Amino acid sequence: MRLLIIEDEARLSEILRSKLGDAGFTVDTAGSAADAKAALELINYDAAILDLGLPDGDGLTVLATVRRLGKTLPILILTARDAVEDRVAGLNAGADDYLTKPFAMTELIARIKALLRRPGGVLGITLDAGNVRLDTVGRELAIAGRPVRVSRRELAILEQMMRRFGRIVPKAVLEEKLYGIDEEPDSNTIPVHVHHLRRQLQTANANLAIHTIRGVGYILTEDKG
Amino acid sequence: MSRRIKSLQLRLTIELAALFLLASGLAVGGLVYSAWLTAGSVADRELGLRAEDLAHHVLLDQAGMPRLELSPSLRRAYDAAAEQSVFAIRDKGGRLVQASAPEFGEMVGRWPAADTEPSYFQLSGFGPSGRDYSGISVQLDSKAGALSVVVAQVAGGDQLVHSILREFVFDIAWYVPPFVAVALLLATYSVRRSLRPLRKASAQAGNIGPESISIRLPDADVPTEALPLVVAVNRALDRLEQGFAIQRRFTANAAHELRTPLTIITARLDSLEGNSKLDALREEVARMNRLVEQLLCVARLDSVVLDVASRVDLHEVAEEVVGSMAHLAVAAGRSIALTGADHPVVITGNAAAIGDALRNLVENALAHTPADTEVIVDVGPGGTLTVLDSGPGIPAQDRPRIFDRFWRGKGVRTEGAGLGLAIVMEIVRAHGATISASERVPCGARFELRFRPA
């Protein structure tokens, strides 16, 4: 997996390169908008991290150029600008995610992985979280290396949670993904499925935990207990 | 007067009153004096005329001796006023020709002969009734040669002067006190009216504070005398506002500039293999990150006017905040829940700012609620957001101060910088909303934001 980091602060760029390298990415860096445009045109990166304050122009122009070239790679904006208007401008210009400085490296890596786990993303075919692996094409689930059989809907729920690992999955999103337009989900069916799924993960010794956030949805995290 | 009078109006009133009293006193005095003078000269002239009249009626008789021959009407007049008006006439040799009363003639007989230049005299306690007289003594020519004529008139019988004064007091001086009163009223009214713009300006000045530094004093209708002060105050406010702006920009820039090095420190620390000291360091850096973030938030709230005119769905805001903070709660071994209305609750405001406020409240709640308990965000259908925790609650004596900047509870673990609730308060104020902190039963704190309905 190849990433491009567009960041003019050399020290930060270096740390990002090293940490993302440790996380298994191949990393290139660009220190200016011009370098970034050239690199993005030449190489098909799997994702890019973009700083907005560049010495030769706004990062948003890089974003616009890339999208004009028809490249759909996920781009995460990493910036010190945290006003809502800046976020909206960035996301409207075609960014896929937005993280403000200062940030935790773990969160950056998690977010990039989440971007890559999107359907069509590099990691979107096989999802990994803790000791759980889900093949989204073959619809096969393995926990600690052993295959586990769960129902179609529970697998779909798990897939949504693994794609947004560590972040909230609103109940509405699950309902939307699980049921067609014609099917009216019973308000109780999702909690029931989650309950089953939780038990099965436990039984198979998965080191993941599904937390219920009452009134909002669910969150899948690594189980520290 | 030991204490200086500070009120312009009172001072003007007092000074004007003093001036009016002095001026009217002088005017009245002057008029009375000149009336006296006039009356005096009129009396003198009358005496002179009478003396001439008497001299005119002195003739030489057959014996060649001077004799007074008054017409019957004059004689009657003199007889009637024998007490009021006395006279004595002497010839060139000093011999008495005629006197209205013998004792007057006797007294005058001792006087030296009169001069052609009239001389005036006063007699006190003369005659049987002992009255005061004023008179004239003059030498006049007559058909009987030069005569010394002395005419006197009772001083008290000066009817003319009295009537002039009486007329003056009753017809003219009567006007003085009402005139003074009206003039004072007019002066007071005009001072009040011209000071009214100043009162308006001071009311306006009362509204100026750190949050409303852009207010200026109105200079329309301000009296020209006070205008330089108003203009100078407004200029001073301009400079202050500039200073404030620089200060705020500085805070914002400083916080902004701190972000990159903090990011680098955070990342470097993350890349080191951990021991407990490193964890402590990470915690410190995380705290610093949080502080910088809050400082930026405060600087932003201070420097821009919050647009609070949009439609905001409180349920959506709460859902977003709870969702985005869920992983923090889970990581800290706590839980978070959204309860209350499950439909849109629409108010007028600024969604991002309300989200910031709620995030700060939830952050506090997560910091204070014990492990394995739940922080609840409740959306009230009437336009409220309530955050409940199961922590120690807020001591009643601290409640009025918790919204001050940099205030922190005593004996509380010093987690934050004390900016969180101040940020919440700013946002609440900008929305015209209210916030209340209270006790949750059986334990914990309860913060309620109540917004005005859309």
Side-chain angles (χ1 to χ4, degrees):
Chain A
M1 287 164 291
R2 198 159 182 186
L3 298 184
L4 178 65
I5 296 168
I6 305 150
E7 164 69 63
D8 66 321
E9 170 62 55
R11 286 170 301 168
L12 185 56
S13 182
E14 196 40 53
I15 294 166
L16 285 174
R17 180 213 278 274
S18 133
K19 289 299 292 181
L20 290 167
D22 293 350
F25 296 100
T26 309
V27 182
D28 292 339
T29 58
S32 68
D35 286 359
K37 283 176 196 168
L40 283 165
E41 214 168 325
L42 209 63
I43 300 162
N44 279 320
Y45 288 101
D46 296 310
I49 296 169
L50 175 65
D51 179 20
L52 290 185
L54 295 172
D56 58 340
D58 197 298
L60 289 179
T61 64
V62 177
L63 199 55
T65 310
V66 170
R67 293 304 183 217
R68 219 172 23 246
L69 288 171
K71 307 231 175 212
T72 55
L73 79 160
I75 294 178
L76 181 147
I77 290 178
L78 187 62
T79 179
R81 294 183 210 166
D82 69 341
V84 180
E85 303 79 65
D86 293 325
R87 286 169 192 260
V88 172
L91 295 174
N92 280 347
D96 298 273
D97 204 353
Y98 197 104
L99 195 58
T100 52
K101 295 174 184 175
F103 56 89
M105 196 56 80
T106 46
E107 183 168 13
L108 176 65
I109 293 169
R111 285 194 184 220
I112 290 173
K113 283 190 174 164
L115 287 179
L116 295 172
R117 273 196 298 263
R118 281 187 183 175
V122 175
L123 298 176
I125 294 165
T126 308
L127 302 172
D128 283 285
N131 59 0
V132 177
R133 166 168 288 197
L134 174 60
D135 179 345
T136 58
V137 177
R139 311 307 293 169
E140 281 161 6
L141 177 67
I143 297 176
R146 281 189 296 278
V148 175
R149 292 212 58 80
V150 296
S151 78
R152 184 177 61 87
R153 284 196 165 139
E154 283 154 24
L155 200 66
I157 289 172
L158 186 61
E159 180 186 341
Q160 288 307 317
M161 290 188 179
M162 287 180 79
R163 286 194 192 280
R164 292 178 58 89
F165 184 71
R167 294 167 77 186
I168 192 90
V169 183
K171 209 161 70 181
V173 170
L174 291 182
E175 283 167 357
E176 192 183 303
K177 296 279 178 190
L178 257 61
Y179 299 95
I181 298 167
D182 304 335
E183 297 171 275
E184 186 61 37
D186 182 343
S187 67
N188 213 27
T189 48
I190 298 238
V192 169
H193 285 310
V194 170
H195 181 70
H196 281 164
L197 188 57
R198 206 179 259 146
R199 267 225 316 255
Q200 278 168 306
L201 288 177
Q202 229 162 28
T203 316
N205 280 324
N207 57 359
L208 296 183
I210 301 172
H211 303 272
T212 305
I213 304 301
R214 277 206 294 143
V216 183
Y218 302 93
I219 202 167
L220 183 68
T221 63
E222 238 164 306
D223 188 10
K224 282 171 275 178
Chain B
M1 203 184 310
S2 59
R3 205 164 51 88
R4 279 182 60 82
I5 296 168
K6 289 282 173 56
S7 159
L8 178 63
Q9 199 173 316
L10 187 61
R11 213 162 74 191
L12 265 177
T13 307
I14 288 175
E15 282 173 4
L16 276 176
L19 176 71
F20 279 136
L21 286 178
L22 186 72
S24 44
L26 279 177
V28 169
L31 277 172
V32 167
Y33 178 68
S34 78
W36 266 109
L37 280 186
T38 310
S41 66
V42 165
D44 291 348
R45 185 159 168 67
E46 199 201 323
L47 286 171
L49 283 174
R50 210 181 293 167
E52 271 172 29
D53 193 33
L54 285 170
H56 186 69
H57 285 93
V58 174
L59 311 165
L60 279 177
D61 64 6
Q62 287 89 345
M65 298 298 288
R67 196 162 57 88
L68 179 67
E69 279 296 340
L70 284 177
S71 64
S73 62
L74 265 178
R75 179 172 299 279
R76 267 200 306 280
Y78 273 109
D79 285 348
E83 276 285 310
Q84 255 82 44
S85 193
V86 293
F87 65 90
I89 304 166
R90 290 188 298 165
D91 67 6
K92 215 170 14 185
R95 200 180 57 89
L96 188 69
V97 176
Q98 181 88 14
S100 61
E103 63 269 32
F104 189 65
E106 199 178 308
M107 185 184 72
V108 167
R110 293 194 291 271
W111 292 0
D115 195 33
T116 48
E117 193 62 31
S119 67
Y120 297 92
F121 61 89
Q122 304 285 330
L123 284 178
S124 47
F126 172 77
S129 51
R131 294 167 89 166
D132 293 344
Y133 289 81
S134 59
I136 185 174
S137 160
V138 65
Q139 186 192 327
L140 294 168
D141 281 329
S142 71
K143 289 167 187 137
L147 294 171
S148 279
V149 182
V150 179
V151 179
Q153 174 87 23
V154 170
D158 221 341
Q159 297 304 315
L160 180 63
V161 173
H162 280 208
S163 71
I164 286 176
L165 282 182
R166 203 175 305 122
E167 190 168 311
F168 173 74
V169 168
F170 285 101
D171 293 354
I172 297 169
W174 181 86
Y175 288 110
V176 172
F179 168 75
V180 169
V182 167
L184 276 180
L185 273 177
L186 203 70
T188 310
Y189 170 70
S190 121
V191 166
R192 274 189 94 81
R193 207 182 47 179
S194 47
L195 287 183
R196 196 181 303 143
L198 278 184
R199 270 200 296 279
K200 230 190 283 174
S202 28
Q204 185 76 293
N207 293 330
I208 298 176
E211 319 73 43
S212 49
I213 189 85
S214 53
I215 294 178
R216 289 294 175 271
L217 304 184
D219 56 5
D221 303 328
V222 167
T224 31
E225 291 84 350
L227 195 59
L229 177 65
V230 171
V231 169
V233 166
N234 280 343
R235 291 221 180 103
L237 284 173
D238 284 343
R239 290 192 295 274
L240 268 182
E241 189 179 16
Q242 249 171 21
F244 261 89
I246 289 170
Q247 191 74 42
R248 281 165 183 168
R249 234 177 293 133
F250 173 77
T251 315
N253 287 342
H256 218 90
E257 290 303 315
L258 281 171
R259 282 191 155 168
T260 301
L262 271 173
T263 306
I264 293 168
I265 294 172
T266 312
R268 285 246 158 96
L269 279 173
D270 278 354
S271 62
L272 294 174
E273 284 305 313
N275 60 30
S276 61
K277 275 184 193 159
L278 212 53
D279 283 344
L281 207 56
R282 282 197 190 109
E283 234 169 75
E284 288 301 314
V285 171
R287 249 176 70 186
M288 196 160 170
N289 279 339
R290 180 77 197 118
L291 174 59
V292 167
E293 214 172 286
Q294 288 188 320
L295 269 178
L296 260 177
C297 187
V298 169
R300 214 177 15 244
L301 282 174
D302 281 347
S303 59
V304 295
V305 178
L306 209 53
D307 173 20
V308 292
S310 310
R311 280 168 62 85
V312 179
D313 175 7
L314 289 181
H315 180 261
E316 192 185 324
V317 170
E319 196 171 25
E320 200 276 322
V321 169
V322 171
S324 70
M325 298 188 78
H327 72 281
L328 293 175
V330 169
R334 274 98 177 139
S335 185
I336 184 167
L338 179 66
T339 63
D342 58 354
H343 51 82
V345 175
V346 177
I347 59 140
T348 306
N350 182 310
I354 294 172
D356 272 341
L358 187 58
R359 209 165 285 119
N360 275 291
L361 289 177
V362 170
E363 224 162 58
N364 282 349
L366 283 174
H368 290 110
T369 207
D372 296 323
T373 59
E374 191 178 55
V375 166
I376 294 173
V377 176
D378 185 86
V379 183
T384 59
L385 286 175
T386 311
V387 178
L388 302 139
D389 68 42
S390 305
I394 317 133
Q397 74 267 22
D398 288 350
R399 275 177 213 158
R401 296 176 53 212
I402 51 175
F403 297 106
D404 293 349
R405 270 182 204 182
F406 295 109
W407 187 86
R408 285 191 303 208
K410 278 205 190 84
V412 175
R413 243 172 349 121
T414 53
E415 278 271 302
L419 280 173
L421 287 178
I423 291 171
V424 175
M425 198 62 201
E426 292 279 324
I427 293 166
V428 163
R429 230 180 254 142
H431 280 83
T434 59
I435 183 164
S436 60
S438 58
E439 207 69 25
R440 181 193 182 188
V441 181
C443 72
R446 178 178 185 280
F447 283 91
E448 186 189 76
L449 300 179
R450 182 173 291 276
F451 293 92
R452 290 183 302 198

